[in-house]
């Protein structure tokens, strides 16, 4: 172990090239983006895209050959003035470029050259990092995402050490994420650089994005860039979906697990005309099986039926105009609760009929109906490809109804956001800026009914309309091989809370050519929606109490600062990376959700003291062998919030320590490009504080701290051809299950009286798995696009 630590530190501090650390030429290999344009992107419509895997060498020195990375960047030792740099790649014209003392250069390659016969074997990293970008971003591609079942976005982070996923309660099966020690609501989640799950869908909305639809996920730690909005506090997660350019002509995925869950996903792309392409994405899920493995009288997994449909169009004009337009529809229904509430074999229409009635047993019924439309249009000036203008429009109508026991909720949200962006340079391409205007309209109508006791029902309504015009500007400087900076600021005028200023800064310094140090700082704000953000507490008999009536609901405002140190080096002649980062989030105001004042209550009030979350993480990735990859990580979190009445300040449901390890294997491709792949992920989840239940009688109380535990997930994939593969996996292979997860459930030792159930029932104190070991299997089949030489 000591030897391993010493080797890592030597790779971090003393790379081989230390004596000539800045005597390098850096650059990026590009190719003309004739069809695949990111219309209306924050920096406008680009003309070129990165070209990974291109060979770069000096004409007089074959030994100098290097290869552009996954982002198209390359580094090569400088030569004499007048020497020629040769850049080549199969299927592209070879370019010769004369060196005149530059430190950085962009080199475009033109497609069109085809070789008669060639074979290229490439091992692309499943998770990619860039030493040259000022942003601390991890990019997860399809190779990473297929290491686990990844049925939807909430399950897509099982193999990632930076984002946690956990259940909101022991009944509904809903998952939520955490980043930098805070709930996912403080991370801005985007879909194709447009608003994703937020508002009333900030938790449930992760299920709207099937994992098989995802092409890449970009995880950015720290406050995001100013162009993307004001809601980013702990980071940004941008989900790039498969679209008419990146999707195969046809792809289908079938999935089934031991809990009775069946899923179907399909993606197809179609060329409609020379200018128009489209993609159709379909998702269906059903689970009618009743599971109660721990015999507590409650379903371990919900019964559900979901349908999600998406249609996206891409337009490529002849005069620099590009467009992306999409329409998405979601319908979700789920039922959970006591097994006596739903008879096995009951028709689904009768199950959903329980929304407005009850069998006497406790049940939870939820429906979601959502329609979303997006449009992005961009224009690149023909005579100035660095200058562009773009627009982004996003609208959704979201309706959610639910009944948990005798408590009812009916929520309706309408959202619209429009962006107009202009991108240009100042003098030369080393000085870039983006400026623009934004407008947000968000309307909420929430109607609630709570049963206090057998004779008292309380009805409560929340209606809120937000209008937020904003202006922003962002400057990027990349004129020095050692430094690059992105600085931005935005001002938003909220109709309810007044003006909000959100400055953002990201900077990168190359300590050596293989070591990059980054810093980030920024301020953001958001409007809380506690009834949907605290979705898990609905699965209890807790009563809601509002402590902010005199002041009103206030926005949550926080500042995040952080640093990242990334080193790329060789260990035993194989590529390795070591990443160290530390981030701190401090709140100026926060809606405190206090579950400690009383075991049967939820107290909400504005922050009156301090609240912060400090995190530190170390991650090591090693291409140990051409067939084996290893990932090790450790994260420490210290999150506290001052609460009234001297209640504990340590935030609940947050593990202070977490260990993570993963090993992946891929066999050699056979003559049909078949392959075996195996992946295993092992995690240690440290102890975490639980809301106190000490005042409850012994059968209805739980310890103040949950024990630490271990989880093991594994998957085996057999790829018969690039078009067809099958996979078999197991989640929670060690079969760890939380002991007595539901307070008030009948575990068989002491039958619970109805009066005690009505007073003490609480299924929201969940810290670990409920279901135990679960096996799953599936297959992937598709039609791939023809190769260029066919």
């Amino acid at each position: 172990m000591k030897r391993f630590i010493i080797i890592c530190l030597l790779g971090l501090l003393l790379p081989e090239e230390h004596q000539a650390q800045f005597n390098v030429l850096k650059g990026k290999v590009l190719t003309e983006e004739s069809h695949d344009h990111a219309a209306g992107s924050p920096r406008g419509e680009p003309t070129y895209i990165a070209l990974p895997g291109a060979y770069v060498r000096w004409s007089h020195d074959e030994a100098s050959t290097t290869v552009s990375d996954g982002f198209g960047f390359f580094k090569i030792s400088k030569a004499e003035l007048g020497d020629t740099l040769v850049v080549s790649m199969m299927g592209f014209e070879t370019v010769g470029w004369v060196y005149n003392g530059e430190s950085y250069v962009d080199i475009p390659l033109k497609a069109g050259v085809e070789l008669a016969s060639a074979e290229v074997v490439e091992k692309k990293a499943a998770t990619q990092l860039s030493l040259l970008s000022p942003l601390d971003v991890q990019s997860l591609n399809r190779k990473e995402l297929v290491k686990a079942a990844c049925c939807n976005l909430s399950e897509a982070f099982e193999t990632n050490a930076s984002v946690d996923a956990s259940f909101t309660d022991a009944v509904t099966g809903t998952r939520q994420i955490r980043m930098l020690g805070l709930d996912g609501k403080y991370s801005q989640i985007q879909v194709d650089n447009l608003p994703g799950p937020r508002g009333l869908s900030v938790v449930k909305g992760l299920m709207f994005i099937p994992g098989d639809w995802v092409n890449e996920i970009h995880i950015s730690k720290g406050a995001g860039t100013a162009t993307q909005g004001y809601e980013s506090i702990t980071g940004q997660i941008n989900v790039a979906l498969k679209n008419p350019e990146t999707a195969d002509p046809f792809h289908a995925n079938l999935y089934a697990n031991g809990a009775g869950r069946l899923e179907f996903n399909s993606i197809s792309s179609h060329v409609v005309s020379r200018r128009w392409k489209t993609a159709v994405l379909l998702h269906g899920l059903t689970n009618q099986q009743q599971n109660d493995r721990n015999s507590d009288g409650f379903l371990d997994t919900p019964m559900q039926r979901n349908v999600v449909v998406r249609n996206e169009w891409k337009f490529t004009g002849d005069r620099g105009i590009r467009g992306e337009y999409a329409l998405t529809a979601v319908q979700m229904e789920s039922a959970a609760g006591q097994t006596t509430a739903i008879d096995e074999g009951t028709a689904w229409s009768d199950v959903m009929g329980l929304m407005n009635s009850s069998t006497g047993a406790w049940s939870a019924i939820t429906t979601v109906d959502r329609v979303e439309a997006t449009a992005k249009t961009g224009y690149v000036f023909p005579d100035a490809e660095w200058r562009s203008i773009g627009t982004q429009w996003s609208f959704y109508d979201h309706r959610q109804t639910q009944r948990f026991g005798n408590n009812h909720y009916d929520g309706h949200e309408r959202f619209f956001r429009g962006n107009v962006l202009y991108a240009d340079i100042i003098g030369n391409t080393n000085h870039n800026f983006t400026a623009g205007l934004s407008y947000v309209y968000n309307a909420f109508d929430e109607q609630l009914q709570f049963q206090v006791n057998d004779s008292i029902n309380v009805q409560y309504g929340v209606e809120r309309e937000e209008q937020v015009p904003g202006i922003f500007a962002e400057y990027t400087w990349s004129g020095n091989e050692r430094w690059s900076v992105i600085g931005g600021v935005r001002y938003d005028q909220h109709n309810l809370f007044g003006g909000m200023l959100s400055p953002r800064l990201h900077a990168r310094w190359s300590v050596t050519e293989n070591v990059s140090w980054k810093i980030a700082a920024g301020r953001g704000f958001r409007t809380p929606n506690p009834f949907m953000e605290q979705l898990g507490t609905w699965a209890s008999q807790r009563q809601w109490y509002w402590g902010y009536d005199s002041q009103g609901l206030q926005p949550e405002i926080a500042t995040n600062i952080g640093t990242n140190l990334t080193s790329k080096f060789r260990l035993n002649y194989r590529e390795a990376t070591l990443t160290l980062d530390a981030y701190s989030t401090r709140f100026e105001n926060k809606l405190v959700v206090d579950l400690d004042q009383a075991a049967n209550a939820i107290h909400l009030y504005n922050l009156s003291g301090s609240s912060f979350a400090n995190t530190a993480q170390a991650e090591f990735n090693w291409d140990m062998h051409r067939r084996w990859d290893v990932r090790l990580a450790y994260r420490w979190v210290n999150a506290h919030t001052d609460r009234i009445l001297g209640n504990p300040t340590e935030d609940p449901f947050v593990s202070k320590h977490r260990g993570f390890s993963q090993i992946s294997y891929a066999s050699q491709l056979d003559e049909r490009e078949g392959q075996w792949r195996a992946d295993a992920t092992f995690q240690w989840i440290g102890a975490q504080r639980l809301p106190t239940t000490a005042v409850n009688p012994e059968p209805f109380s739980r310890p103040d701290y949950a024990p630490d535990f271990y989880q093991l997930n594994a998957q085996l994939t057999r790829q018969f051809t690039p078009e067809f593969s099958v996979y078999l996996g197991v989640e929670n292979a060690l079969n760890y299950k939380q002991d007595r997860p539901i307070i008030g459930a009948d575990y068989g030792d002491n039958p619970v009286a109805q009066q005690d159930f009505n007073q003490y029932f609480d299924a929201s104190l969940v810290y670990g798995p409920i279901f135990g070991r679960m096996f799953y299997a599936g297959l992937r089949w598709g039609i791939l696009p023809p190769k260029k030489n066919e």
Side-chain angles (χ1 to χ4, degrees):
M1 183 64 183
K2 291 182 179 179
R3 182 183 178 187
F4 167 76
I5 295 173
I6 292 172
I7 291 174
C8 292
L9 291 175
L10 286 174
L12 178 67
L13 299 175
L14 299 172
E16 297 175 0
E17 302 83 352
H18 181 71
Q19 298 299 322
Q21 55 186 328
F22 299 117
N23 189 30
V24 296
L25 170 66
K26 297 182 181 181
K28 188 173 186 179
V29 183
L30 309 164
T31 186
E32 187 174 356
E33 190 180 27
S34 58
H35 298 291
D36 183 13
H37 284 262
S41 63
R43 301 193 57 76
E45 196 61 38
T47 303
Y48 293 91
I49 59 173
L51 188 61
Y55 290 93
V56 182
R57 66 178 178 86
W58 295 110
S59 59
H60 66 280
D61 185 8
E62 291 282 351
S64 67
T65 301
T66 185
V67 180
S68 60
D69 65 15
F71 298 91
F73 291 110
F74 69 86
K75 293 178 290 186
I76 190 169
S77 297
K78 290 182 179 178
E80 298 296 329
L81 294 179
D83 283 352
T84 299
L85 189 72
V86 179
V87 184
S88 62
M89 186 173 181
M90 185 180 68
F92 295 84
E93 293 183 358
T94 299
V95 170
W97 175 80
V98 178
Y99 175 60
N100 292 312
E102 295 88 345
S103 298
Y104 179 89
V105 62
D106 289 329
I107 299 180
L109 296 188
K110 184 178 179 181
V113 176
E114 296 183 2
L115 302 181
S117 177
E119 180 181 1
V120 177
V121 178
E122 177 190 9
K123 185 175 182 182
K124 185 178 181 181
T127 300
Q128 295 180 308
L129 305 170
S130 175
L131 293 177
L132 301 181
S133 171
L135 300 174
D136 181 10
V137 179
Q138 283 186 328
S139 296
L140 317 181
N141 55 34
R142 288 301 304 172
K143 183 179 178 180
E144 178 72 19
L145 296 173
V146 298
K147 290 182 179 181
C150 186
C151 295
N152 59 61
L153 186 60
S154 69
E155 301 170 330
F157 304 101
E158 296 291 338
T159 62
N160 185 268
S162 298
V163 181
D164 290 334
S166 61
F167 290 102
T168 61
D169 57 82
V171 176
T172 66
T174 304
R175 291 175 182 248
Q176 63 183 349
I177 63 171
R178 287 190 177 91
M179 187 172 174
L180 301 187
L182 293 169
D183 290 343
K185 61 187 178 182
Y186 299 111
S187 300
Q188 186 178 30
I189 302 178
Q190 297 182 310
V191 178
D192 292 331
N193 285 318
L194 293 174
R198 59 172 306 284
L200 300 187
S201 64
V202 68
V203 176
K204 205 79 172 178
L206 299 175
M207 301 176 64
F208 303 164
I209 306 174
D212 218 48
W213 291 12
V214 178
N215 189 51
E216 289 183 322
I217 299 177
H218 305 284
I219 303 171
S220 175
K221 294 183 180 180
T225 59
T227 59
Q228 295 296 331
Y230 51 78
E231 293 183 320
S232 172
I233 293 177
T234 59
Q236 287 180 334
I237 300 176
N238 182 45
V239 182
L241 297 181
K242 295 178 180 178
N243 57 49
E245 291 293 339
T246 59
D248 295 331
F250 180 78
H251 172 84
N253 178 27
L254 297 176
Y255 167 90
N257 68 21
R261 178 171 165 179
L262 303 173
E263 287 197 28
F264 168 78
N265 294 284
S266 73
I267 303 102
S268 60
S269 61
H270 312 271
V271 178
V272 179
S273 67
R274 184 171 64 88
R275 292 184 175 90
W276 287 96
K277 294 182 180 180
T278 186
V280 178
L281 298 83
L282 304 175
H283 167 78
L285 179 152
T286 182
N287 188 352
Q288 306 298 306
Q289 180 175 307
Q290 294 193 0
N291 302 289
D292 183 15
R293 289 189 176 183
N294 58 2
S295 301
D296 62 357
F298 280 81
L299 295 176
D300 296 333
T301 56
M303 302 172 65
Q304 52 188 328
R305 181 178 294 177
N306 302 338
V307 176
V308 187
V309 180
R310 178 180 173 89
N311 182 210
E312 181 172 349
W313 291 77
K314 278 204 170 186
F315 173 78
T316 305
D318 295 328
R319 300 180 180 275
I321 298 179
R322 306 290 185 266
E324 298 177 11
Y325 313 98
L327 183 65
T328 306
V330 179
Q331 186 178 64
M332 309 184 76
E333 299 175 334
S334 67
Q338 291 180 306
T339 55
T340 54
I342 306 171
D343 295 330
E344 190 147 10
T346 302
W348 185 251
S349 59
D350 294 334
V351 172
M352 298 311 297
L354 295 174
M355 174 65 76
N356 298 313
S357 62
S358 177
T359 62
W362 194 93
S363 60
I365 312 296
T366 302
T367 65
V368 175
D369 291 283
R370 179 184 176 98
V371 176
E372 182 174 353
T374 61
K376 298 191 289 185
T377 304
Y379 173 72
V380 178
F381 289 78
D383 298 329
E385 60 190 29
W386 57 84
R387 182 179 301 123
S388 62
I389 188 169
T391 61
Q392 300 174 329
W393 314 103
S394 179
F395 167 82
Y396 65 75
D397 184 276
H398 179 91
R399 295 176 182 268
Q400 180 166 336
T401 58
Q402 63 185 36
R403 179 186 59 76
F404 281 57
N406 292 317
N407 296 332
H408 293 253
Y409 174 88
D410 187 351
H412 181 203
E413 179 188 5
R414 289 170 297 157
F415 173 83
F416 170 81
R417 193 193 78 167
N419 271 9
V420 179
L421 307 101
Y422 175 77
D424 207 336
I425 64 174
I426 304 174
N428 58 60
T429 56
N430 294 330
H431 303 272
N432 303 268
F433 74 91
T434 301
L437 304 172
S438 66
Y439 174 77
V440 173
Y441 173 83
N442 210 178
F444 299 89
D445 183 2
E446 299 176 278
Q447 302 299 319
L448 306 95
Q449 178 179 311
F450 301 105
Q451 183 180 42
V452 179
N453 53 47
D454 293 338
S455 59
I456 299 178
N457 287 314
V458 176
Q459 292 186 342
Y460 186 79
V462 177
E463 294 185 16
R464 187 175 77 251
E465 183 178 276
E466 300 181 27
Q467 297 188 55
V468 192
I471 184 171
F472 55 86
E474 186 172 272
Y475 167 75
T476 301
W477 176 66
S478 56
N480 187 300
E481 65 178 13
R482 297 179 59 185
W483 284 95
S484 58
V485 177
I486 299 177
V489 64
R490 63 178 300 126
Y491 178 82
D492 297 276
Q493 183 66 36
H494 201 290
N495 65 315
L496 301 179
F497 308 124
M500 295 286 181
L501 189 67
S502 304
R504 308 285 172 86
L505 175 67
H506 300 267
R508 184 268 309 171
W509 177 48
S510 292
V511 182
T512 72
E513 72 169 290
N514 290 321
V515 179
S516 178
W517 178 39
K518 304 177 183 182
I519 59 173
R523 183 175 186 259
F525 73 96
R526 62 180 299 276
T527 304
N529 295 283
F531 299 115
M532 287 296 95
E533 292 168 4
Q534 302 302 318
L535 190 62
T537 53
W538 284 83
S540 69
Q541 299 290 17
R542 292 176 180 262
Q543 300 297 319
W544 296 71
Y545 295 92
W546 295 265
Y548 52 72
D549 289 342
S550 61
Q551 198 176 7
L553 182 69
Q554 295 296 304
E556 297 184 295
I557 307 173
T559 298
N560 178 281
I561 60 173
T563 185
N564 168 275
L565 191 67
T566 300
S567 173
K568 293 186 177 182
F569 56 98
R570 286 185 176 270
L571 178 61
N572 196 26
Y573 305 103
R574 307 293 298 180
E575 294 290 339
T577 62
L578 179 63
T579 303
L580 308 174
D581 61 47
Y583 287 87
S584 178
T585 306
R586 294 190 173 271
F587 285 87
E588 300 172 35
N589 186 59
K590 181 180 181 181
L591 179 63
V592 180
V593 180
D594 193 341
L595 302 177
D596 291 284
Q597 281 198 42
N600 63 347
I602 308 166
H603 288 267
L604 306 176
Y605 47 86
N606 292 310
L607 181 68
S608 59
S610 66
S611 178
F612 63 87
N614 299 325
T615 67
Q617 179 173 313
E619 182 171 336
F620 170 72
N621 289 271
W622 184 27
D623 180 17
M624 183 174 62
H625 183 270
R626 60 181 176 177
R627 307 284 174 229
W628 296 89
D629 292 322
V630 172
R631 180 179 302 158
L632 302 173
Y634 167 77
R635 189 180 67 244
W636 171 84
V637 176
N638 184 28
H640 286 260
T641 300
D642 286 344
R643 294 171 172 83
I644 63 176
L645 301 180
N647 289 320
T649 64
E650 184 180 352
D651 286 354
F653 305 115
V654 177
S655 297
K656 180 166 288 190
H657 305 281
R658 183 189 178 199
F660 180 96
S661 63
Q662 182 186 84
I663 187 166
S664 300
Y665 167 80
S667 70
Q668 185 176 0
L669 294 173
D670 60 26
E671 64 278 2
R672 300 183 61 189
E673 297 188 56
Q675 186 182 51
W676 286 96
R677 294 193 297 270
D679 302 279
T681 303
F682 181 75
Q683 298 187 60
W684 166 55
I685 295 91
Q688 48 193 296
R689 190 182 77 81
L690 300 178
T692 182
T693 54
V695 297
N696 289 352
E698 194 283 326
F700 308 107
S701 63
R702 297 291 185 269
D704 287 342
Y705 278 84
D708 63 341
F709 63 94
Y710 301 92
Q711 272 195 296
L712 174 63
N713 299 335
Q715 180 177 281
L716 179 66
T717 302
R718 172 54 177 166
Q719 177 179 300
F720 294 96
T721 67
E723 295 84 4
F724 179 71
S725 62
V726 297
Y727 56 93
L728 175 68
V730 58
E731 295 181 357
N732 192 18
L734 302 179
N735 200 35
Y736 179 84
K737 290 183 286 187
Q738 180 177 338
D739 182 44
R740 299 190 303 160
I742 302 178
I743 297 177
D746 187 355
Y747 290 96
D749 47 1
N750 292 307
V752 177
Q754 186 64 41
Q755 181 179 355
D756 290 335
F757 178 86
N758 293 340
Q759 182 175 357
Y760 299 113
F761 166 67
D762 193 343
S764 66
L765 307 185
V766 174
Y767 63 85
I770 306 298
F771 190 75
R773 184 184 298 114
M774 185 179 68
F775 292 94
Y776 64 86
L779 63 87
R780 300 182 180 97
W781 175 77
I783 301 175
L784 301 182
K787 296 181 180 179
K788 288 186 178 182
N789 59 353
E790 293 181 353

